[in-house]
Amino acid sequence: MTNIKVFRNIIDKIIEKLFTISGAVTSITILLITLFLFKEGIGLFHTPEVERGYKVFVNSQNGVEELSSLKLKEIFDSEITNWRDVGGKDLDIKIFRIDDVFRLYSESEFGENYELLPQKLNEIISKEDGIIAFLPIQYAPESPDVKELLSKNINAKDYFFGKEWIPTATPAPLFGVLPLVLGTLLVSIMALVMAVPLGLGVAIYLSELAGENQRKLMKPIIELLAGIPSVVYGFFGLVVIVPFVQKTLQIPVGETAFTGSVVLAIMSLPTIISVAEDAMRNTPRSMREASLALGATKWQTVYKVIIPYAKSGISAAVVLGIGRAIGETMAVMMVTGNAAVIPVSIFESVRTIPATIAAELGEAPTGDAHYQALFLLGCILFVFTMIISISAEFISKKQYNKAS
């Protein structure tokens, strides 16, 4: 008997050590992932605005010394056509790219290994006062007649408050996350406005009004809905909800923020219902009976006794619903239109942060500005989630202190 007791103590200690090691490894792993995420993201602010491996050159007589990434984009998109509009002379802007040189000279004039190409580029730029040339660094002309436009690093203001997300823009990509942040918040908040009242209503019905047979039938079905892959919800939204919204509301396209909110609300409902219903059913039977004995109706007992007692669990249900809404990727990407523009209406196409990361990370070169910008989007999503978790913890502690 003594040997068995000693053996059990040894087993208990081993299991305890294993749990301790498992917890430590998990905590360290999460910390390292977080550090890696922020390390890759913060590197964006040490990256030049102009595309890596290229520089922008103008004639030395040009009075402009520096252009922002937005101004460069507008110039190369022909939205700005005169140097006067960017602080220069009253002179038409002539855009020049490296491919243009091959239309002006024959292959033989560049030399066997293109060693004469910088010289030819120098000739072109020195003759044109209004020229702006976007050229690879390896063929950069070096001459008093040519000057390089100063290139700053991407700054936090342009990133966090920029209104355009165009990572493929040349010569300077634009990484303004404001449209993505607003799109994420709009879709998530609208989804919660739809899902929370409906979810709590179903939870109250299952907990307090439904018969035992009804509850045994509905509860497993609702929990089963939580296990359906998000791509299935997205496909359902694309085939059913998108055409319905488009026809009913008479709008040009059905892929809108509203459609994404409806799909997210449907996806969040099982989690909200299940967690909230469990919290309500944990209310002691004695509290229900005391309320009814004092003359309260069943409904008065629900909203004056059961809901206040289960507030902590209900808050957890709402937080889990928010987490599902903010972090959802595939379903939202399929039904919101993926337009990286600042939304002015819920019936316009938007793009969310998770959808942007999922759609673009596979195409972004490792270590490139685009790659770092996407990791920084992950940091923003991490901060959102952390704020939600801290808020939920604060609410729970506040309710616990009141109950004490």
Side-chain angles (χ1 to χ4, degrees):
M1 198 68 184
T2 305
N3 291 336
I4 294 174
K5 190 173 182 180
V6 171
F7 179 73
R8 285 179 177 175
N9 289 337
I10 293 172
I11 294 296
D12 288 344
K13 287 182 180 179
I14 291 172
I15 293 173
E16 183 181 343
K17 290 292 183 184
L18 287 174
F19 278 122
T20 303
I21 293 170
S22 175
V25 170
T26 303
S27 300
I28 292 170
T29 302
I30 293 172
L31 179 62
L32 290 176
I33 290 173
T34 305
L35 290 175
F36 173 76
L37 182 69
F38 278 88
K39 174 181 170 293
E40 291 294 322
I42 296 300
L44 178 69
F45 302 129
H46 302 289
T47 305
E49 289 181 324
V50 176
E51 187 178 337
R52 186 170 294 178
Y54 289 83
K55 289 185 177 180
V56 179
F57 300 90
V58 295
N59 190 289
S60 59
Q61 300 302 313
N62 195 318
V64 176
E65 301 291 335
E66 184 181 317
L67 288 172
S68 67
S69 56
L70 182 59
K71 292 298 182 185
L72 284 171
K73 180 256 181 186
E74 290 174 344
I75 286 173
F76 278 81
D77 284 351
S78 298
E79 295 174 19
I80 295 177
T81 57
N82 195 295
W83 285 107
R84 177 186 63 239
D85 298 330
V86 289
K89 300 176 183 178
D90 185 7
L91 196 65
D92 288 338
I93 296 174
K94 182 178 181 181
I95 299 169
F96 185 87
R97 294 180 174 88
I98 187 66
D99 294 341
D100 297 333
V101 74
F102 297 101
R103 293 196 291 268
L104 301 175
Y105 297 93
S106 64
E107 265 319 302
S108 58
E109 293 181 86
F110 300 127
E112 187 175 348
N113 296 312
Y114 291 96
E115 65 271 11
L116 299 179
L117 181 54
Q119 179 184 335
K120 300 301 181 184
L121 292 171
N122 178 65
E123 290 177 6
I124 294 168
I125 298 172
S126 60
K127 290 177 183 177
E128 291 280 353
D129 289 346
I131 198 169
I132 180 169
F134 176 51
L135 306 172
I137 294 175
Q138 65 187 98
Y139 300 123
E142 296 181 4
S143 165
D145 298 324
V146 177
K147 71 176 180 181
E148 175 193 345
L149 285 183
L150 298 177
S151 176
K152 300 183 295 182
N153 289 340
I154 297 170
N155 61 66
K157 181 182 177 182
D158 290 341
Y159 182 80
F160 290 109
F161 298 101
K163 297 180 180 179
E164 293 187 75
W165 177 270
I166 312 177
T168 56
T170 57
L174 299 177
F175 300 111
V177 301
L178 195 57
L180 308 181
V181 172
L182 294 178
T184 302
L185 293 176
L186 177 62
V187 172
S188 302
I189 291 170
M190 285 298 301
L192 288 174
V193 168
M194 299 177 195
V196 171
L198 184 58
L200 292 182
V202 176
I204 291 170
Y205 173 77
L206 289 177
S207 174
E208 306 302 321
L209 304 175
E212 191 62 26
N213 291 334
Q214 291 174 307
R215 184 180 176 278
K216 285 181 178 179
L217 175 65
M218 293 181 64
K219 188 72 185 291
I221 294 174
I222 290 170
E223 291 178 344
L224 185 64
L225 291 175
I228 296 176
S230 60
V231 68
V232 176
Y233 281 108
F235 184 73
F236 170 78
L238 192 62
V239 173
V240 177
I241 300 177
V242 166
F244 177 79
V245 169
Q246 184 177 2
K247 289 178 182 178
T248 304
L249 301 177
Q250 297 294 310
I251 53 179
V253 293
E255 292 92 346
T256 64
F258 176 75
T259 311
S261 300
V262 172
V263 173
L264 275 186
I266 295 171
M267 295 177 67
S268 301
L269 275 173
T271 303
I272 295 173
I273 292 169
S274 183
V275 176
E277 193 266 346
D278 287 340
M280 291 177 188
R281 284 184 68 84
N282 285 332
T283 303
R285 184 181 181 86
S286 59
M287 293 184 67
R288 288 184 173 88
E289 292 175 347
S291 175
L292 294 171
L294 290 171
T297 63
K298 196 160 189 174
W299 176 238
Q300 287 173 330
T301 301
V302 168
Y303 76 83
K304 288 189 176 181
V305 176
I306 295 172
I307 290 178
Y309 184 88
K311 271 186 180 178
S312 180
I314 294 171
S315 299
V318 173
V319 168
L320 289 172
I322 294 173
R324 182 74 188 266
I326 287 182
E328 183 51 49
T329 303
M330 188 55 65
V332 177
M333 188 163 61
M334 294 173 71
V335 299
T336 55
N338 276 326
V341 295
I342 293 179
V344 295
S345 166
I346 61 171
F347 301 113
E348 291 185 355
S349 296
V350 296
R351 178 185 282 190
T352 64
I353 291 175
T356 302
I357 295 173
E360 298 180 8
L361 189 58
E363 301 175 359
T366 304
D368 188 70
H370 187 193
Y371 176 87
Q372 293 168 332
L374 292 173
F375 266 88
L376 203 53
L377 280 179
C379 296
I380 293 173
L381 210 56
F382 174 84
V383 171
F384 280 171
T385 306
M386 186 173 65
I387 291 171
I388 292 167
S389 300
I390 292 172
S391 300
E393 187 70 19
F394 176 76
I395 291 169
S396 298
K397 285 185 177 179
K398 189 174 180 181
Q399 289 164 356
Y400 177 78
N401 291 335
K402 282 183 179 179
S404 300

